[in-house]
Amino acid sequence: MPQPSKKIKPDGIRYWVEDRPPLPLSLMLALQQVAFLGSLMTLPVVLGRAARLGVVDVASLVTLTMIGAGIGVMLQALNRFGIGVGLFAPMHSSSVAFPAALVAVKTGGLGLAFGMMSIAGLVQICASRFITKLRAFFPVEIAGLTVFMLGSGLGLVGLKNFLGIGTEFQCVPSCYIVGFFTLIVIVVLNLWTRGLGRAFSVFIGLIAGQALAYQQGLVPDEAIRNIVNAAPFAIPSIGKFGWSLDWRLVPDFVIVGLALSFNCYGVITIAQRANDSGWKSPDMGGVGRGLLAEGLTNIACSAINGVPQTASGGAVGLAEASGFTSRIVAFVLGGLFIVLAFFPSVAMAWISLSPSVIGAVLIFVASFITIGGLKIMTSRLLDNRKTICLGIAIIAGLGHDTLLVQLDHLPKELDSIFATSLSITVLVAVLLNALFKLGSKKKLSHKIALDHEWPDSVNQLIWHLGHQWSARSEVVARLDHATNELIDVIAGHNLIEGEATVDISVAFDEYGCTLKVCYRGEGFHLPPKRPAPEDLLDNPDAVRDMAGYLIHHLADSVKINTSKNITSVTLHFSD
């Protein structure tokens, strides 16, 4: 396996992974993330209401979930002892777990729901041990597809909130006014201001939008009373709702663990790409460490009675849009989450956020994630197999909300895997990718006759293989150029004895491509240094030396071997 290449700092990032922002700035960045992630803190409320909890107990559930979120973001940033991806990758409450959790609540109360979530966490820990060996089943194009569906799914959730669909403010004009106002403030600050204005565009937009929502009567008076009447300080009741297991529900929560793992894989891919301009493919070792951190987080949430967490693509997208991806901020954010859990009024304030304000924020953040996923997918050459695989998976995912949710008679064991468009998209893509690997060749040999048409034959062969293997167009272009230079040296210097042909064999895997050109005849030397300009005019061998320099420059490694008058030249290209 090749060594990881050095990461390149993206242009739009002010504070990179290991940079240390000043403490006041870190606190403000963490507060912005708290405000954003708080807008997603709906699952504890919905779950608490399903369990018929009172307002105080729902707030307690939210505060315990905040502690779990704080633990999770710090574990992800840790990158020590094999735990954590080492990037800024906060977590939020996961809707993936809601169907199974609801079944557990109805079966044995909240305590059973929290106990069973430990099973999902154990599944994620097990998945983290095997993910590095499954890169062939999670190629770059599926990573891009996962990111795309995360972004589009987040955007659709945002759009529903923006329009007030499913709330008491549906079809209320003031709801649209607040949503458009919030989005305009965020976009203007992000595009046409610099420094702190851009960095805190989402936070400022959220505060301004919520103020307008209150003025327009979109914040219920009861929500304001709950904030005012909340205790100024309270120690969270760890394990308040109990903990138990029911082995009949194990299959449901195994599926939940797998679905959470799919989401974590996609979000960590977003984080890796956001922090490296030279990003080529997911670092599966980092994905494995991230899965381990998330699994441990969910076991901790299970123990303290917090709602399960999963990596937040929105929070990572917000960090990228703001230009601050320092993992140091993650520790400040984690500490802030835990400290704020001792102030119930904060939980009440989160519950009071207007849906249209939440929708505007989600739409803004989702735009970065969705386009990032498209860029990842289109960075690869795609043949018919890959096109069909990705196309069907996208159709299955986009059709989820309009078709699959109308099927009331799905087996309950499938509720979690079909709970989100992301789960079904990744499942379909992985299965089709594995199926289409049948009959797909990873090695190919071809004989090229060195007549006047050999350049066209080489070009067609190389680009056909590039599409079949979903290689990056940049790698295929380098491979094509180097192969042409190499064969031109062989043919131009009459190095072949007998029939004027060369044998080309090409092998491709998830890490790169190796090309071997063999012919009968004497060997030659390809110097890695550029010849002097005057040598190109006076020395007839300088043209070959220039070709050698270009080949060394294009390929990552070059080896020449001659044995029994058979010469082979091997070029390797990392992908």
Side-chain angles (χ1 to χ4, degrees):
M1 184 183 300
Q3 294 298 317
S5 58
K6 185 178 180 180
K7 293 179 174 59
I8 303 172
K9 182 179 180 179
D11 291 336
I13 301 300
R14 290 184 59 192
Y15 284 89
W16 202 18
V17 178
E18 299 296 339
D19 295 340
R20 292 178 176 270
L23 182 58
L25 180 59
S26 296
L27 285 170
M28 287 299 297
L29 292 168
L31 188 60
Q32 175 173 246
Q33 288 285 348
V34 165
F36 170 74
L37 291 168
S39 69
L40 303 176
M41 195 68 73
T42 56
L43 184 60
V45 178
V46 176
L47 191 62
R49 289 172 180 169
R52 299 182 179 180
L53 299 181
V55 174
V56 175
D57 284 338
V58 169
S60 179
L61 184 58
V62 171
T63 58
L64 292 170
T65 302
M66 290 167 63
I67 294 175
I71 294 171
V73 67
M74 290 191 286
L75 283 179
Q76 279 293 20
L78 185 62
N79 196 17
R80 293 288 187 275
F81 317 111
I83 302 173
V85 67
L87 299 172
F88 183 79
M91 300 183 189
H92 66 234
S93 303
S94 171
S95 61
V96 171
F98 184 73
L102 195 58
V103 171
V105 167
K106 293 179 179 178
T107 303
L110 275 175
L112 179 59
F114 292 127
M116 295 308 300
M117 270 313 304
S118 63
I119 302 297
L122 288 173
V123 169
Q124 289 187 280
I125 291 174
C126 292
S128 72
R129 303 296 90 184
F130 296 102
I131 192 70
T132 55
K133 299 177 175 63
L134 298 177
R135 179 168 172 172
F137 296 96
F138 292 92
V140 174
E141 59 272 15
I142 290 184
L145 173 66
T146 306
V147 173
F148 171 78
M149 292 307 300
L150 277 169
S152 60
L154 189 67
L156 288 174
V157 172
L159 188 60
K160 289 178 180 179
N161 279 274
F162 188 93
L163 300 176
I165 295 175
T167 72
E168 59 185 299
F169 304 113
Q170 185 171 334
C171 298
V172 176
S174 57
C175 181
Y176 308 149
I177 293 172
V178 169
F180 278 113
F181 173 77
T182 305
L183 187 58
I184 288 171
V185 170
I186 294 172
V187 171
V188 168
L189 289 174
N190 189 266
L191 294 183
W192 290 292
T193 65
R194 296 182 179 180
L196 296 181
R198 177 175 179 266
F200 299 110
S201 57
V202 170
F203 183 66
I204 296 171
L206 189 148
I207 297 298
Q210 184 68 2
L212 181 60
Y214 177 74
Q215 189 272 331
Q216 292 289 320
L218 299 180
V219 180
D221 292 337
E222 183 183 358
I224 303 299
R225 287 196 298 269
N226 289 335
I227 296 173
V228 174
N229 296 331
F233 180 86
I235 298 176
S237 301
I238 302 296
K240 176 178 182 178
F241 303 103
W243 196 95
S244 62
L245 291 173
D246 186 335
W247 298 110
R248 295 173 298 174
L249 299 180
V250 167
D252 296 48
F253 284 86
V254 168
I255 294 176
V256 168
L258 293 174
L260 291 174
S261 299
F262 288 153
N263 181 84
C264 183
Y265 167 70
V267 174
I268 289 178
T269 299
I270 297 173
Q272 290 176 347
R273 185 181 180 278
N275 285 286
D276 185 8
S277 289
W279 185 90
K280 298 176 181 178
S281 60
D283 171 15
M284 300 306 283
V287 172
R289 296 193 302 274
L291 267 175
L292 177 59
E294 188 168 306
L296 292 173
T297 298
N298 281 325
I299 289 178
C301 286
S302 168
I304 68 174
N305 286 180
V307 171
Q309 300 291 297
T310 191
S312 174
V316 175
L318 172 58
E320 180 184 10
S322 303
F324 295 83
T325 60
S326 169
R327 74 186 184 98
I328 306 303
V329 178
F331 296 102
V332 179
L333 174 59
L336 188 59
F337 259 128
I338 294 172
V339 169
L340 291 179
F342 289 81
F343 299 90
S345 58
V346 174
M348 295 296 185
W350 270 346
I351 297 172
S352 72
L353 284 174
S354 170
S356 54
V357 174
I358 296 172
V361 173
L362 294 181
I363 289 172
F364 171 76
V365 172
S367 63
F368 287 87
I369 299 173
T370 305
I371 298 303
L374 285 175
K375 287 180 178 179
I376 295 173
M377 283 192 287
T378 55
S379 70
R380 298 277 158 165
L381 298 173
L382 304 176
D383 67 350
N384 286 347
R385 295 176 187 235
K386 298 295 184 182
T387 300
I388 293 171
C389 172
L390 296 177
I392 292 178
I394 289 174
I395 291 170
L398 294 180
H400 169 270
D401 289 338
T402 55
L403 299 176
L404 290 181
V405 294
Q406 298 178 18
L407 300 179
D408 298 327
H409 303 294
L410 280 174
K412 68 179 182 66
E413 292 82 4
L414 299 180
D415 281 348
S416 294
I417 202 68
F418 287 110
T420 67
S421 58
L422 175 66
S423 298
I424 190 170
T425 298
V426 175
L427 180 63
V428 170
V430 169
L431 291 177
L432 289 180
N433 179 62
L435 176 63
F436 291 163
K437 283 183 177 295
L438 299 175
S440 178
K441 298 179 179 178
K442 288 294 184 183
K443 297 181 180 180
L444 186 142
S445 298
H446 198 79
K447 185 182 290 291
I448 299 290
L450 299 185
D451 52 22
H452 65 282
E453 295 182 348
W454 73 260
D456 292 335
S457 300
V458 169
N459 290 345
Q460 292 177 9
L461 174 66
I462 297 300
W463 284 98
H464 169 73
L465 294 176
H467 281 87
Q468 181 178 330
W469 294 333
S470 299
R472 287 186 298 125
S473 56
E474 173 201 346
V475 174
V476 178
R478 287 165 50 207
L479 176 60
D480 183 34
H481 189 179
T483 306
N484 275 274
E485 291 287 348
L486 176 59
I487 296 179
D488 194 43
V489 169
I490 296 170
H493 288 76
N494 299 316
L495 299 177
I496 298 178
E497 298 177 4
E499 184 182 6
T501 61
V502 296
D503 294 315
I504 296 180
S505 60
V506 192
F508 181 86
D509 61 19
E510 287 72 30
Y511 303 103
C513 176
T514 300
L515 177 138
K516 179 182 288 188
V517 176
C518 297
Y519 65 92
R520 181 176 296 277
E522 63 177 297
F524 59 98
H525 177 60
L526 289 178
K529 294 183 179 180
R530 183 202 304 265
E534 56 272 15
D535 290 340
L536 291 172
L537 298 175
D538 302 330
N539 186 352
D541 292 331
V543 174
R544 183 188 65 186
D545 294 344
M546 175 58 79
Y549 166 75
L550 289 174
I551 293 170
H552 276 282
H553 181 71
L554 293 165
D556 293 296
S557 67
V558 179
K559 294 181 180 179
I560 302 176
N561 181 56
T562 301
S563 177
K564 298 180 180 179
N565 206 34
I566 300 295
T567 299
S568 63
V569 183
T570 304
L571 310 179
H572 181 75
F573 300 81
S574 297
D575 188 12

